[in-house]
Amino acid sequence: MINKTKEWIKDRQNQVLLTVIGFGILLRLYYLIITSNQPLWWDEAEYILIGKFFLGSDLIKDFIASRPLLLPVIWASLIKIGLGSEIVFRILEFIASSLGLIFMYLTAKELFNKETATISTLLLSVFYLHLFYSSRLLLDSIAPTFWLISIYFFTKGYLLKKHNKKFYLSAFFGAIGVFLYNQTIALFLVYLIFLLLVEKLNIFKEKRFYIFGLIALITFSPNFVLNKQIFNKSFEFITAGISTGNIIAADYSGNLKIFTTYFPNYLGNILLIVFLISLAIVFYKILLGIDLVIKKPNEEQKKELLLLLWLIIPFFSIIKIVGHFEDRYIMPVFIPIFIISALGLYKIKEYFTKSIDKSVVYGILIVILVLVSFFQLKTADNIIKFKKDSFSEIKDSGQWIKENSYPADTIITGSSPMMLYYSERKIIPLPAAEDEFNKVIEK
């Protein structure tokens, strides 16, 4: 075992991989340290308050049905055993985010090759949105990890080799992802459409596909029970969408326009160009011969088809179920973007090393990745440090009220969950009109 480990470490590609993952983990550890005491945002505070609700707290009674419930259940479990401090929650976020880097590599390696996987992992490691949300008690860096774990086992258990246990693990981790964050249902849309295209009617004939669906449903079923207990409606979360969204009433065209307008800003000019070129390089064969791919795809075409669906379906389905624009909602879409970009760079490198000195090609590749990383890291550092002390006034005032008021006192505030969390006093939302405010005061 020790000798195998030594041999593995001697490999140049593995050394680069360890450097990339180690760098990504150290980045997240650095930002964990400097944000360990930052004030909570609206959603962060509400997730912890819902956790306390599950333990019998009456501080919060009304919250929207679109709130995912697994994270509050986890917080409640930790609070129950005396580990309910913010720093413990932040460490778990750090672990989940770092685990995402590892499964980014494993998934991309199984789908394509080590070099593509390493470049993909680097892009996720330095991606400013992933770094930013890794320092927040939110779901937006955790959910992509479960996408990756599920797709990793789907690749191992279905694409590469028929291995039912791994195939079923894909369903389990995917369902955990949906329980954790409603938007992960888009992952099962990817699986469904992919299997329909590849397996055709066989999807209805083979027992393993029914077991896959059953495992996913059983794993997710506690969510129906929790919704029934809280809202007296088992399926309330389905129409609620994400955040303040509503699937039926969502402004699809408006959300699509805003998301596509802002999308290039997340990548930066260099990575955007790389991605667009890579789209053509990676998918031109599959798009030109789509009829053949649908009739009988080969193994390589199946991988590319999965990657293409992974890019398209989550984007167009997630923007349908959000109530307003926030960059974090499309975090899962960036995973295939990075894999496509990395695969494109790999194919370009392979092409030019046939006619140009390898050191020159690798030198250009390194320069591109350094420039992309510099843009992402600079953006991450600026935004994390700029937002670090946001809502500090609410935190300070809430803690002051807690220390200088009676438990039966009530607060009128426009910052409901944060003030509720820090003051531990019942609140009344600040009325919009003056006459309504006066009525509240009179009461």
Side-chain angles (χ1 to χ4, degrees):
M1 182 65 180
I2 295 176
N3 290 333
K4 286 184 178 180
T5 303
K6 288 181 178 179
E7 288 300 316
W8 188 88
I9 293 174
K10 286 180 181 179
D11 185 281
R12 180 69 61 85
Q13 286 189 342
N14 294 334
Q15 290 173 358
V16 174
L17 167 65
L18 289 175
T19 302
V20 167
I21 292 181
F23 178 62
I25 292 173
L26 287 175
L27 277 173
R28 282 152 183 76
L29 180 60
Y30 168 70
Y31 287 117
L32 167 66
I33 292 170
I34 69 171
T35 62
S36 59
N37 199 38
Q38 68 182 358
L40 299 183
W41 282 3
W42 188 291
D43 289 8
E44 295 177 283
E46 192 157 303
Y47 287 140
I48 298 177
L49 287 168
I50 296 171
K52 292 182 178 182
F53 167 84
F54 288 135
L55 296 175
S57 171
D58 63 351
L59 284 174
I60 187 169
K61 295 181 179 179
D62 300 316
F63 48 90
I64 55 179
S66 61
R67 287 294 184 222
L69 298 177
L70 181 56
L71 189 66
V73 167
I74 295 171
W75 290 170
S77 303
L78 291 171
I79 293 169
K80 183 74 173 178
I81 62 175
L83 295 175
S85 63
E86 287 180 33
I87 188 60
V88 173
F89 300 159
R90 294 188 188 282
I91 290 172
L92 289 179
E93 288 269 353
F94 160 76
I95 293 172
S97 175
S98 300
L99 194 62
L101 303 183
I102 295 171
F103 273 93
M104 176 62 140
Y105 174 79
L106 293 174
T107 303
K109 179 176 73 71
E110 294 298 336
L111 282 171
F112 300 107
N113 55 70
K114 285 185 175 182
E115 289 184 59
T116 297
T118 301
I119 296 172
S120 304
T121 307
L122 173 65
L123 295 176
L124 182 61
S125 294
V126 300
F127 184 42
Y128 83 91
L129 285 178
H130 199 263
L131 283 168
F132 177 76
Y133 288 112
S134 295
S135 66
R136 291 282 168 185
L137 300 180
L138 297 170
L139 297 160
D140 308 286
S141 67
I142 302 177
T145 296
F146 282 87
W147 282 70
L148 283 163
I149 296 173
S150 178
I151 292 176
Y152 169 74
F153 283 113
F154 185 86
T155 303
K156 294 280 285 185
Y158 173 79
L159 270 183
L160 300 182
K161 186 179 179 182
K162 185 176 179 180
H163 193 296
N164 286 343
K165 288 184 179 179
K166 291 177 182 177
F167 185 53
Y168 301 151
L169 280 174
S170 171
F172 173 76
F173 283 108
I176 291 292
V178 181
F179 196 177
L180 189 69
Y181 205 3
N182 302 343
Q183 57 157 248
T184 310
I185 192 66
L187 174 60
F188 284 92
L189 288 177
V190 173
Y191 290 155
L192 178 61
I193 294 173
F194 175 80
L195 291 172
L196 284 171
L197 290 173
V198 172
E199 294 287 342
K200 313 294 189 296
L201 295 179
N202 285 335
I203 192 175
F204 302 107
K205 297 177 182 178
E206 291 192 36
K207 183 174 68 174
R208 60 177 174 151
F209 296 121
Y210 289 98
I211 296 174
F212 181 92
L214 185 62
I215 288 172
L217 183 61
I218 292 172
T219 304
F220 184 70
S221 60
N223 197 48
F224 298 114
V225 177
L226 289 171
N227 271 263
K228 179 65 175 177
Q229 291 177 343
I230 297 168
F231 306 109
N232 200 31
K233 295 178 181 179
S234 297
F235 303 98
E236 182 72 7
F237 68 95
I238 294 177
T239 58
I242 299 174
S243 184
T244 54
N246 183 291
I247 291 178
I248 298 171
D251 181 8
Y252 188 76
S253 59
N255 284 338
L256 178 61
K257 182 179 180 181
I258 296 173
F259 273 105
T260 51
T261 300
Y262 279 88
F263 178 77
N265 298 330
Y266 305 133
L267 302 183
N269 293 334
I270 296 176
L271 184 54
L272 178 62
I273 293 169
V274 169
F275 169 63
L276 294 176
I277 294 173
S278 298
L279 271 177
I281 292 173
V282 173
F283 296 121
Y284 82 95
K285 286 184 179 180
I286 198 173
L287 293 175
L288 290 176
I290 192 66
D291 55 331
L292 297 175
V293 172
I294 293 175
K295 285 181 181 178
K296 193 173 181 181
N298 58 40
E299 296 305 309
E300 198 64 26
Q301 288 171 334
K302 287 179 183 178
K303 296 176 184 178
E304 292 172 355
L305 178 61
L306 178 64
L307 186 60
L308 182 62
L309 294 174
W310 186 3
L311 172 70
I312 295 172
I313 293 173
F315 179 79
F316 286 101
S317 57
I318 289 172
I319 62 173
K320 172 59 180 171
I321 57 177
V322 296
H324 61 277
F325 171 74
E326 286 191 48
D327 48 29
R328 59 197 178 108
Y329 294 145
I330 57 168
M331 280 289 289
V333 179
F334 290 105
I335 307 299
I337 285 173
F338 296 151
I339 296 176
I340 292 165
S341 301
L343 184 58
L345 287 173
Y346 170 78
K347 288 177 177 289
I348 291 171
K349 184 267 298 182
E350 287 292 288
Y351 177 81
F352 282 106
T353 49
K354 296 175 182 177
S355 56
I356 301 176
D357 187 88
K358 283 187 177 182
S359 59
V360 175
V361 177
Y362 275 102
I364 294 172
L365 177 61
I366 290 170
V367 168
I368 291 171
L369 294 175
V370 167
L371 291 174
V372 168
S373 299
F374 178 78
F375 169 81
Q376 293 293 335
L377 292 175
K378 184 179 179 182
T379 306
D381 196 64
N382 288 339
I383 193 172
I384 291 172
K385 290 178 178 177
F386 178 74
K387 298 285 188 179
K388 182 171 69 73
D389 297 318
S390 57
F391 296 105
S392 59
E393 296 84 0
I394 295 174
K395 177 180 179 179
D396 294 340
S397 58
Q399 291 175 336
W400 185 91
I401 291 171
K402 179 181 177 180
E403 295 172 0
N404 295 276
S405 65
Y406 296 103
D409 288 344
T410 301
I411 305 168
I412 300 175
T413 178
S415 304
S416 300
M418 296 92 81
M419 182 59 71
L420 186 60
Y421 173 77
Y422 286 116
S423 68
E424 297 185 5
R425 300 291 182 264
K426 293 183 178 180
I427 62 168
I428 298 174
L430 181 66
E434 185 177 348
D435 58 335
E436 294 176 359
F437 178 79
N438 291 331
K439 289 178 183 178
V440 170
I441 295 296
E442 289 173 5
K443 291 181 181 179

